[in-house]
Structures are given as structure tokens and as C-alpha cells.
Amino acid sequence: MHTLMSALLASPLHLVGRFDNPFTGGERHLLELGRRLAGRRPVLLWSDVAPHSWYAQQGVQPIRPFARQFPKGGMLLIGGVHVQTGLWAAHARPERVALLYNLASHQRLFGMIESLREATACEPEMLFASESFRLATGLPGIVEPSWIDLSPFLAVPLQRPTGRPVTVGRMSRDVPDKHHPDDPALYRLLAARGWRVRIMGGTCLESRLAGVAGVELLPTGAEAPQDFYQSLDIFFYRTGAMVEAYGRVVVEAMAAGLPVVAATVGGYTDAVQAGLSGYLVRSQEEAHDLLMRLAADPAPRAQMGGAARLRAQALHSDEATESLLQFYLR
């Protein structure tokens, strides 16, 4: 047993992502996974492109095949089908290969599975960001929700300040596909009723919302996430062409004690208990009506926010995360 454990501790886990944007959930997932495994297995973080300076400070290395700087041996985790493996994969010689499916593209998924088989002579073990993604592929594998450090969000007080307009908001990367095409019209309507609307990652909506009184469009990263969530009474979330594999911002908002109103499409639907910790909506009318219901009375809003926090804690409890970590330690 001692010999086996020593071999495991000497065998590195290589986490490969595209670390060029400090606000992408997939790469934050890899970073947090590495942190959780610290002291239990050597972890090396790699980027298939030049890493952003913030990630470089966290120890992420660029893959440089001609300098022979790339993953070698141990276990190889490819953090998404958006990652380019390149020629170096044929020389990596890993003992195990795993692939995380966190971007909806079945064609790229099956192509990457085949290329990893050929390059490494290993059968890729599959990880899925949500149960809905696993079911959509029909492949066997493990559901591994996004790794999130919830501690900053659990520190947000459950009680929101009184005497201010009802404030609804959302947070995401600042790209149009992260926003539903009907969102601007809904925000205009809420603002006209005296609501405050705060969108972090919303400057891409300026052409439709610039100058609307009560609507605040912020670039991604303008505020610390926990401070932003504390400024809200309700978290609203739905996307356009981009389907969320997990939607970690939804779980963060739940941990911050916010009731959630979100679309029925996305991996976060595994987390939101409809009618208890939030609502899942299929139309503009449903979204409007449920937001108005939550705005009408702060008491049920606070109750739902408390249930949302408990749900987020349960999903990311020590017991739940330890069973997932064992996948990398066996």
C-alpha cells in the first residue's frame, strides 16, 4: 500500500485548458480543482495558448512543444473540447486520459475522443459538467459540477437592505451570446416600473439599453462578485445561443442567498429546485410574472434565498466534493 501511494504522489496530474481569459468558468474550474488537490497529488496547469498574466501568476504554464514543455506521463485532463491538443499529445504518454465536456458541441466532442485515442493509446474517461450534458451525449461517465470556492458568497448577509428599489441583476462574460435576445425589453419594462437593473458583463447591450434610467451596464470584473451579489435582491439568468454547461454564476448567486429566476435550458437546472430555491421559466411572460411575484413581498423572497444558499452548500459539501476528488486520486 505504501508503495502504491508513493507512486501516486509522484505521478503528476496535468490540467490542460485555454487560460487566456480570467473570467471563463471552465478554466476557473481547473484552477480550483488544482487547489483542492494540493498536497494530495502533484498538479501542473497548462494552457494551449499564452496564458493571461493573472493565470500565469497562479502557476499556469504555456505548452511549448518545440521546447519540450508539455505534459508528460501521469494523468492528463483536457478541460473542454475548445482546447487544442496539438502534436505534443502523441509524446505525452499519459497513464490515464480524461476529457471534460463543458461546451455544447457533439461533433467536436466525438472528434476529440478519437484524436485522444490515437495520440495517447488511452481510452478517454468522460467527465460532464452537468447531468443534462451527460444525457445529451449518451456516453458513460461522471458528472463533475464546476469546482467553486463558495466561502466568499456564503459570507454575504442573507438580509438585504430595505428602503431601496427592488434590484435585479445578473453576471456573465461580456459577450452577446451570454444574453437572451428578449432580455433588453424585459429590463426596460422593469426599470420603467421603478426597479433597479444591474448587469455585470452587460456593456455589449449598450446599443439597446444605453441611457435607460435605472439600468446599469457594467463590464465583467467591475466589482468583486460577492459585492455585486450583495447589491441584488433577485438574480435573473438566461442566455442566447450559448448553452451553459453548468452556469457557475447561478450557484454563486444561490450561495449568496439570492432567489434565482432562470431559463429552463442550462446545466444549472440541476441545482435550482423550482419553487423552492428559485424559478425556471420558459417564456418572457413567465419571467415577468415570477419576477413581479418575488418583488411583491420581501419575506418569501428571503425564504427562497435562504433555501438557495442551503442548496448550494449541499451541492458543494465536503462529502460531495471528496467523492469526486477520488477520481483523480485512485
Side-chain angles (χ1 to χ4, degrees):
M1 177 64 73
H2 177 73
T3 302
L4 287 172
M5 285 301 296
S6 298
L8 177 61
L9 289 173
S11 176
L13 169 64
H14 301 280
L15 306 180
V16 183
R18 176 159 294 177
F19 290 91
D20 59 346
N21 186 327
F23 302 110
T24 50
E27 280 61 38
R28 290 286 184 140
H29 169 97
L30 295 177
L31 202 64
E32 180 64 16
L33 172 59
R35 187 186 72 81
R36 303 255 182 147
L37 287 168
R40 306 181 71 179
R41 181 171 190 174
V43 175
L44 296 171
L45 291 154
W46 300 92
S47 180
D48 67 341
V49 296
H52 186 278
S53 58
W54 186 83
Y55 282 126
Q57 292 170 12
Q58 314 305 311
V60 178
Q61 307 176 68
I63 292 176
R64 293 178 177 146
F66 296 107
R68 297 200 58 78
Q69 181 176 305
F70 56 84
K72 302 182 186 75
M75 180 178 177
L76 178 65
L77 171 63
I78 305 298
V81 295
H82 62 295
V83 178
Q84 298 294 318
T85 53
L87 297 174
W88 60 267
H91 304 279
R93 298 197 173 111
E95 299 153 12
R96 292 173 64 195
V97 174
L99 173 59
L100 175 62
Y101 189 47
N102 57 7
L103 177 67
S105 177
H106 290 1
Q107 182 177 359
R108 292 167 74 174
L109 169 64
F110 289 105
M112 180 165 280
I113 290 173
E114 187 59 34
S115 66
L116 286 172
R117 281 180 185 146
E118 293 179 1
T120 67
C122 293
E123 181 64 27
E125 301 170 63
M126 289 302 306
L127 299 162
F128 299 92
S130 61
E131 178 66 10
S132 59
F133 264 45
R134 187 187 70 81
L135 293 173
T137 67
L139 295 174
I142 296 172
V143 176
E144 182 180 283
S146 189
W147 294 95
I148 308 172
D149 178 10
L150 293 183
S151 56
F153 313 112
L154 296 174
V156 175
L158 282 173
Q159 295 297 322
R160 279 356 191 222
T162 58
R164 69 179 188 188
V166 174
T167 305
V168 64
R170 54 159 286 161
M171 180 171 67
S172 69
R173 286 190 291 117
D174 207 338
V175 292
D177 283 353
K178 282 285 189 178
H179 300 267
H180 192 278
D182 292 339
D183 285 349
L186 180 60
Y187 299 150
R188 283 178 173 272
L189 179 59
L190 295 176
R193 294 187 176 216
W195 289 42
R196 188 181 179 204
V197 180
R198 305 194 77 220
I199 312 298
M200 189 152 76
T203 64
C204 60
L205 303 178
E206 285 182 342
S207 63
R208 299 181 64 183
L209 290 170
V212 176
V215 176
E216 189 176 1
L217 303 176
L218 302 168
T220 304
E223 297 179 7
Q226 61 269 29
D227 295 336
F228 179 75
Y229 294 134
Q230 189 168 353
S231 74
L232 306 180
D233 298 303
I234 305 167
F235 189 80
F236 176 71
Y237 198 78
R238 56 186 180 178
T239 60
M242 183 175 293
V243 177
E244 291 286 10
Y246 185 63
R248 57 189 286 134
V249 293
V250 174
V251 178
E252 290 174 358
M254 291 170 64
L258 287 170
V260 169
V261 177
T264 56
V265 179
Y268 53 77
T269 57
D270 296 346
V272 178
Q273 299 161 298
L276 180 62
S277 57
Y279 294 113
L280 297 173
V281 299
R282 293 175 174 81
S283 68
Q284 186 85 325
E285 291 75 19
E286 281 188 356
H288 172 267
D289 292 348
L290 289 170
L291 286 169
M292 296 305 296
R293 182 188 300 179
L294 283 171
D297 190 344
R301 198 164 66 227
Q303 183 178 12
M304 184 168 278
R309 172 169 286 182
L310 291 175
R311 175 64 170 166
Q313 287 179 289
L315 290 171
H316 291 267
S317 67
D318 291 342
E319 294 79 7
T321 56
E322 180 58 30
S323 64
L324 291 171
L325 290 176
Q326 289 300 319
F327 173 77
Y328 301 100
L329 296 172
R330 70 173 189 238

